[in-house]
Amino acid sequence: MANVEDYLPLQEVATFATLVATYEKGFLLILEPFESETAKVPNPILHYTCLDASIAIKPVFERFSSVIITSGTISPLEMYPRMLQFDTVVQESYTMTLARRSFLPLIITRGSDQVAISSRFEIRNDPSVVRNYGNILIEFAKITPDGMVVFFPSYLYMESIISMWQGMSILDEVWKYKLLLVETPDSQETSLALETYRTACCNGRGAVMLCVARGKVSEGIDFDHHYGRTVLCIGIPYQYTESRILKARLEFLRENYRIRENDFLSFDAMRHAAQCLGRVLRGKDDYGIMVLADKRYGRKRTQLPKWIGQALHESDINLSTDMAVAAAKKFLRTMAQPMEERDGISTWTLAELEEHQRAQKTGRIEAMAGAARDVDMVDGNGADKDDESQYDFSDDEELGKMDLDMPPAAATVLAKA
């Protein structure tokens, strides 16, 4: 063959056919009539989709006798053993130990005009809802130092709301305070936008990054320290329910694992929302504001990870835009104060700490006693001549360099031991 590249399309077809022939259960061939959600002209796409997530993790369980699955966003925990087909020995959710309250979660359910806000399909394009979302963006862009990240449920909704904001002059108002950048499906364009965003955060201009909850930015990019002082989730990031792939997965989960469609969709959406919120807090010395802007978060907050749920006070739920901005200003003033040098908040009680210190002290005494016994055994049996010849202490100068700090009292205790 003179040119192998001429046969690359045939190679792709052969690879696809090999995959189809390799897996029988848990996979499905699906024909999508359109290339994307926004496409109007039919362009059929053949998908070979994995419906059973347990296939991917099964080799891990077969190879290792004990497996620890840990993350800050796997909540609720009860869903994973059912989906991945394993039995848990220990299943726990822990809070985050911080020296101070370094993140502020807020749930905004209505705008300043008291109109409820939500990304539900029926009202998502209502002018009053869109305007209230725009006012939230403006107000937080005013008070947030350096970087701010905004997440939308989908590219389609982000494009729609940005277009409406442009007509309402909301984007022009945001431009007064920060640079505006947008994530796109193109990875190169997104990388360039992220580079510009970081530059703006570093030089004091500040920037707002508009992203999608299921995109590259939400799962693979950290906005630590001044790169992300506020994260704003506009709406709940549910999957596109008209997708044939999603419908097939929901049917598979219902028939094989008895997982209801609404349970899985809600679990998946809140997991992605938690991942978006986690972008802003990347260490114990970091701080930031987490804003959930949708009235439905009020009743779904129990599905958030424990470390977020416990930091979400009753006074931070069911807020209007004005109330949320006031709480955020107070939090930022607190974070601007010098931080005391502390290691963190211990999860041990005083009694447990004292017991641990006693155990450490007992262990040190036993170790010293064991060392003393070894010394007595060597002295009693006599030193080996070969070992003795390895060290030459005949020179007074070398003896002067030896620093034996053990006081006589300590030496006596060791000898008695």
Side-chain angles (χ1 to χ4, degrees):
M1 296 190 309
N3 193 355
V4 180
E5 294 183 357
D6 294 341
Y7 296 91
L8 284 179
L10 183 61
Q11 182 181 352
E12 292 181 0
V13 173
T15 303
F16 186 80
T18 303
L19 287 173
V20 173
T22 302
Y23 299 98
E24 297 181 0
K25 296 181 179 180
F27 284 79
L28 187 66
L29 274 171
I30 298 175
L31 182 65
E32 286 277 12
F34 296 97
E35 188 174 1
S36 64
E37 300 173 16
T38 58
K40 302 297 182 183
V41 179
N43 184 21
I45 303 293
L46 190 62
H47 296 275
Y48 191 52
T49 305
C50 179
L51 306 178
D52 189 0
S54 65
I55 294 176
I57 202 170
K58 185 178 179 181
V60 178
F61 291 139
E62 291 177 346
R63 181 177 178 183
F64 301 100
S65 58
S66 297
V67 178
I68 300 175
I69 302 175
T70 177
S71 174
T73 56
I74 51 174
S75 180
L77 296 176
E78 294 75 18
M79 187 68 73
Y80 288 91
R82 297 168 63 187
M83 291 177 54
L84 301 179
Q85 292 297 289
F86 67 91
D87 298 319
T88 57
V89 178
V90 178
Q91 181 174 303
E92 289 291 340
S93 181
Y94 300 99
T95 58
M96 188 180 294
T97 57
L98 298 169
R100 60 177 178 173
R101 192 189 184 195
S102 57
F103 65 97
L104 177 68
L106 302 169
I107 296 180
I108 301 179
T109 59
R110 59 192 187 278
S112 301
D113 56 0
Q114 304 304 310
V115 173
I117 56 174
S118 177
S119 63
R120 275 194 309 120
F121 185 78
E122 295 82 5
I123 63 171
R124 60 166 49 184
N125 290 319
D126 186 281
S128 61
V129 174
V130 174
R131 186 177 296 277
N132 277 324
Y133 275 135
N135 289 335
I136 294 173
L137 177 63
I138 292 172
E139 293 300 325
F140 277 91
K142 286 180 182 179
I143 66 172
T144 301
D146 301 316
M148 177 177 174
V149 190
V150 183
F151 289 100
F152 295 84
S154 65
Y155 284 108
L156 184 63
Y157 184 51
M158 182 174 68
E159 292 173 3
S160 171
I161 203 170
I162 288 176
S163 177
M164 296 182 70
W165 280 347
Q166 184 67 43
M168 297 176 180
S169 300
I170 288 174
L171 297 183
D172 294 335
E173 188 68 19
V174 176
W175 267 99
K176 296 178 183 179
Y177 307 101
K178 294 190 183 299
L179 193 66
L180 268 171
L181 297 145
V182 182
E183 177 189 9
T184 67
D186 186 273
S187 59
Q188 290 185 345
E189 291 180 357
T190 300
S191 298
L192 183 60
L194 283 169
E195 185 179 348
T196 307
Y197 172 86
R198 292 182 179 275
T199 302
C201 291
C202 290
N203 63 21
R205 173 68 172 90
V208 176
M209 187 77 187
L210 305 180
C211 321
V212 175
R214 298 174 185 277
K216 172 187 176 183
V217 173
S218 67
E219 298 185 4
I221 306 297
D222 290 341
F223 294 94
D224 57 324
H225 296 93
H226 63 289
Y227 294 123
R229 291 304 184 196
T230 296
V231 57
L232 169 61
C233 287
I234 292 181
I236 299 180
Y238 284 107
Q239 292 193 52
Y240 176 59
T241 54
E242 295 303 314
S243 166
R244 283 174 168 79
I245 296 176
L246 177 60
K247 289 180 177 179
R249 181 171 288 118
L250 292 175
E251 183 180 354
F252 177 86
L253 292 173
R254 184 183 66 251
E255 293 180 353
N256 292 272
Y257 302 144
R258 301 295 184 267
I259 298 175
R260 295 183 302 176
E261 289 91 339
N262 289 339
D263 291 344
F264 175 78
L265 290 173
S266 181
F267 151 78
D268 181 70
M270 296 304 291
R271 179 172 61 88
H272 278 280
Q275 284 183 337
C276 295
L277 297 179
R279 298 299 98 195
V280 78
L281 193 68
R282 312 309 295 176
K284 286 184 177 289
D285 59 341
D286 203 357
Y287 70 89
I289 302 169
M290 305 174 178
V291 182
L292 298 164
D294 194 303
K295 66 178 183 179
R296 294 172 292 177
Y297 280 117
R299 64 176 184 271
K300 290 184 177 293
R301 65 181 186 273
T302 55
Q303 298 181 30
L304 289 169
K306 189 175 181 179
W307 62 276
I308 298 178
Q310 289 197 346
L312 194 60
H313 300 165
E314 286 297 326
S315 59
D316 301 328
I317 301 169
N318 194 23
L319 302 176
S320 65
T321 302
D322 297 337
M323 296 166 66
V325 171
K329 286 181 178 178
K330 182 179 179 181
F331 172 79
L332 291 172
R333 282 196 298 268
T334 303
M335 291 297 103
Q337 304 306 314
M339 182 179 175
E340 296 180 6
E341 292 295 331
R342 296 171 61 187
D343 294 332
I345 301 173
S346 176
T347 57
W348 284 9
T349 63
L350 180 59
E352 290 174 335
L353 183 60
E354 291 175 346
E355 178 64 27
H356 177 69
Q357 289 176 338
R358 282 194 295 269
Q360 281 189 322
K361 188 175 181 180
T362 303
R364 284 197 298 268
I365 293 174
E366 291 177 352
M368 293 171 67
R373 283 192 296 269
D374 292 341
V375 171
D376 289 342
M377 289 175 63
V378 173
D379 290 342
N381 295 331
D384 190 356
K385 291 183 179 180
D386 293 337
D387 293 339
E388 191 176 18
S389 63
Q390 295 177 11
Y391 306 99
D392 183 11
F393 295 132
S394 58
D395 193 345
D396 291 338
E397 184 179 355
E398 290 297 324
L399 283 171
K401 293 180 180 178
M402 299 291 289
D403 186 14
L404 302 177
D405 295 331
M406 185 180 296
T412 305
V413 172
L414 286 177
K416 289 180 179 178

